Amino acid sequence: MSAAVSSAYAAGEHDVRIVLNEELDVVEPCMAARSNVGRVILQNVNETLTEFDAQQGGLKPRLATAWEQVNESTWRFKLREGVKFHNGEALDANDVKFSLERTADKSMICEVGVKYFGGTEMTINVIDDQTLEVMTSPAQPILPLLFSTVPIVPDSTPRNEFTRAPVGTGPYSFAQWNVGQNIVLERNGNYWGEQPVVDTATYLFRSDSAVAAAMVQTGEADIVPNIAVQDATNKDTDFSYPNSETARLRIDVQISPLDDRRVREALNLAIDRQALRGSILSADVIPATQLVVPTTSGYNKDLQVWPYDPERARALLAAAKADGVPVDAEIKMIGRTNVYPNATEVMEALMAMLQDAGFNASLQMYDVAEWNGLFIKPFPENRGPTLLQAQHDNAKGDAVFTAYGKYHSQGGQSVLDSVRVDALIGEATAASGDNRTSLWQQLFAEVNDTIIADIPLFHMVGYTRVNPRLSFKPTIATNSELQLSQISFK
């Protein structure tokens, strides 16, 4: 097979083709928290100040070479010297200040800002060209880790609109965006670091997992980062990896009948999670109790997976109905096509389970752009009761990357409005050590056991198919970035 793959490849010897399961609708760096945007841009085109080491743990220098905490609320960062953007401009502290402020600008609705910096006010002081200090309110004990999420752009980037031609400092420049066809990155000959061996990367889009997997099999492509379990059939080319994603249905707790806790409990009891393992989803997925994976600081191991108990679910619905709760109202299940392999099939199975337990559930699937309009505030008026399919990645190791955006009353993706939840998030964000861990654990108990804000489904695994001509193995980080510099050829 290896010979067939190599001979079928028509591009240059050191060019690669990567197949993504969703076509990108934006190429804006501040949207790199979205998996497929991150796989193209993050650390390839636009670099971050720090980089989380997914294999060894801890932080590595990237555009910042050193950092220190000045006081409880202030950190100082020293920038790498001699770095230039792809447009020839030299990187300095003003570019970093611009990037941080632009990402956190609420009028931009950047997913990096919404996901990681909601509720955090930053005051940035440029000390000199290579030094800046960042003061935050509340204090951020893990600010250097947070800065591993922010792609740095030059201050000539449009301030209040998404760019369609991202410029960065990375080992690859953004060369082409042929909408509907492909995206092309080219190696940056002036890169400050070690030159990678891949010359050009072309990103193609195929929503059908089997088709995408076959493209590597026939030599039309080199890597498919995310294929379905039923297509991962070749032990020589297919790799599974824990991808740090957690799948869930977000319950809109503000809308009747979902504002009744008994109804939310019944939703969880109606789901037969075991039936999905080893069938539609991989047998390796782990039933989830909360939105962070067990390796995340703040994970609460005491929470229990909801049992499958449709009889109890029906009893809870009957009790709620007797109290006047409109449990017969239609509940719309909002799915995102290809949010993960077999996403539509999973939603169809969940709908059948809910209907069997007595819910009046219906299903609508959307592509990412339309789905995003339902996922992020402002939510549509008169939206009715909804369960929204989502998947959340937390590969950075701290619950702060999850909590604010998902559960704080001011969080961009949150449907909660709880004084207790807001207080716990505020206290945990400013805390450190064991106290920080304990506060996050209290938060997940409050959200998942007391309020029941979600239907937690599974901690997911990913399957990647890699052309045998490459030396590349996925890590937990492959879900959110795919560094071309980590690829070599046999």
Side-chain angles (χ1 to χ4, degrees):
M1 176 190 156
S2 177
V5 167
S6 298
S7 63
Y9 196 76
E13 183 180 359
H14 284 176
D15 296 342
V16 296
R17 292 184 178 186
I18 298 169
V19 186
L20 304 179
N21 62 344
E22 287 180 326
E23 182 179 347
L24 271 63
D25 60 330
V26 295
V27 292
E28 164 58 48
C30 77
M31 297 296 282
R34 210 184 274 178
S35 294
N36 276 339
V37 178
R39 284 175 178 137
V40 175
I41 289 176
L42 202 57
Q43 312 301 8
N44 293 327
V45 178
N46 294 92
E47 299 178 284
T48 52
L49 290 182
T50 62
E51 180 181 354
F52 182 71
D53 188 333
Q55 294 182 317
Q56 304 297 324
L59 282 180
K60 299 190 295 186
R62 192 87 187 198
L63 291 179
T65 57
W67 48 91
E68 62 176 334
Q69 190 166 15
V70 177
N71 55 47
E72 184 182 44
S73 59
T74 305
W75 287 81
R76 178 177 296 166
F77 294 84
K78 193 72 175 177
L79 301 184
R80 189 177 300 279
E81 296 187 3
V83 177
K84 289 190 175 182
F85 288 99
H86 302 142
N87 62 6
E89 297 175 13
L91 168 76
D92 63 27
N94 286 308
D95 297 304
V96 176
K97 173 179 167 60
F98 173 83
S99 300
L100 296 173
E101 291 177 343
R102 180 176 182 269
T103 298
D105 188 335
K106 292 182 175 59
S107 68
M108 287 284 288
I109 313 182
C110 292
E111 286 201 13
V112 171
V114 170
K115 186 174 180 179
Y116 302 124
F117 292 91
T120 298
E121 298 295 329
M122 290 188 287
T123 301
I124 304 160
N125 295 316
V126 172
I127 306 301
D128 58 41
D129 283 351
Q130 306 305 132
T131 312
L132 71 160
E133 288 185 351
V134 183
M135 183 172 65
T136 67
S137 178
Q140 288 287 2
I142 61 166
L143 193 65
L145 178 61
L146 281 168
F147 281 174
S148 70
T149 68
V150 183
I152 303 302
V153 298
D155 59 10
S156 56
T157 303
R159 179 67 177 82
N160 294 112
E161 62 183 73
F162 284 0
T163 180
R164 295 176 61 84
V167 173
T169 58
Y172 291 87
S173 60
F174 192 90
Q176 298 177 41
W177 183 15
N178 302 305
V179 176
Q181 299 181 44
N182 59 44
I183 288 172
V184 179
L185 305 186
E186 294 178 346
R187 188 169 59 183
N188 169 22
N190 296 317
Y191 183 55
W192 59 265
E194 183 179 352
Q195 279 289 318
V197 297
V198 171
D199 289 331
T200 300
T202 301
Y203 297 85
L204 307 170
F205 315 110
R206 297 291 185 274
S207 59
D208 189 308
S209 168
V211 171
M215 290 176 69
V216 175
Q217 190 79 14
T218 60
E220 294 180 69
D222 292 293
I223 300 177
V224 183
N226 202 12
I227 61 175
V229 59
Q230 68 268 22
D231 300 317
T233 56
N234 189 328
K235 63 180 178 59
D236 295 327
T237 59
D238 302 339
F239 302 91
S240 67
Y241 62 100
N243 62 9
S244 78
E245 292 274 13
T246 301
R248 65 163 173 158
L249 297 183
R250 185 184 70 187
I251 304 173
D252 193 339
V253 301
Q254 298 182 7
I255 307 294
S256 180
L258 304 180
D259 57 351
D260 189 287
R261 188 187 183 281
R262 292 167 295 185
V263 174
R264 300 196 295 274
E265 184 176 351
L267 286 169
N268 273 282
L269 293 168
I271 302 304
D272 185 357
R273 291 167 176 79
Q274 290 300 327
L276 300 174
R277 300 178 71 198
S279 55
I280 301 174
L281 296 173
S282 166
D284 296 331
V285 300
I286 301 171
T289 59
Q290 56 208 285
L291 204 45
V292 294
V293 294
T295 54
T296 302
S297 176
Y299 176 85
N300 190 330
K301 62 181 177 53
D302 294 329
L303 301 184
Q304 299 297 310
V305 176
W306 285 96
Y308 174 50
D309 191 344
E311 290 301 322
R312 172 66 179 158
R314 294 185 193 102
L316 286 167
L317 284 183
K321 186 174 183 177
D323 290 341
V325 178
V327 298
D328 296 327
E330 180 184 25
I331 297 174
K332 292 183 179 178
M333 301 176 68
I334 305 298
R336 174 177 158 186
T337 305
N338 293 319
V339 63
Y340 46 78
N342 297 336
T344 299
E345 289 80 0
V346 168
M347 288 296 278
E348 290 171 343
L350 295 177
M351 180 177 65
M353 294 173 189
L354 293 178
Q355 291 173 340
D356 180 63
F359 286 98
N360 178 14
S362 63
L363 172 61
Q364 292 177 293
M365 299 296 296
Y366 295 96
D367 63 22
V368 59
E370 196 167 5
W371 172 91
N372 215 43
L374 303 171
F375 184 48
I376 295 178
K377 292 177 178 174
F379 301 129
E381 295 183 2
N382 304 318
R383 58 190 183 276
T386 60
L387 304 175
L388 189 139
Q389 181 186 34
Q391 185 171 237
H392 172 59
D393 164 41
N394 189 335
K396 302 293 186 182
D398 190 281
V400 74
F401 296 103
T402 300
Y404 190 93
K406 309 297 183 190
Y407 297 126
H408 194 281
S409 61
Q410 301 303 308
Q413 301 165 358
S414 172
V415 292
L416 295 188
D417 186 8
S418 164
V419 173
R420 166 113 175 117
V421 168
D422 287 359
L424 281 169
I425 292 173
E427 293 174 37
T429 299
S432 58
D434 293 342
N435 186 37
R436 183 183 184 91
T437 300
S438 174
L439 287 165
W440 286 133
Q441 290 171 339
Q442 293 176 49
L443 170 74
F444 290 119
E446 179 72 15
V447 167
N448 295 98
D449 273 9
T450 303
I451 295 175
I452 312 179
D454 295 306
I455 303 176
L457 295 174
F458 299 101
H459 302 307
M460 305 290 274
V461 295
Y463 290 92
T464 293
R465 176 163 289 186
V466 180
N467 191 312
R469 78 189 187 103
L470 305 185
S471 290
F472 173 76
K473 286 193 175 181
T475 70
I476 195 170
T478 306
N479 187 61
S480 54
E481 63 184 45
L482 204 171
Q483 293 196 37
L484 297 170
S485 60
Q486 295 175 353
I487 298 173
S488 59
F489 298 88
K490 295 177 180 174

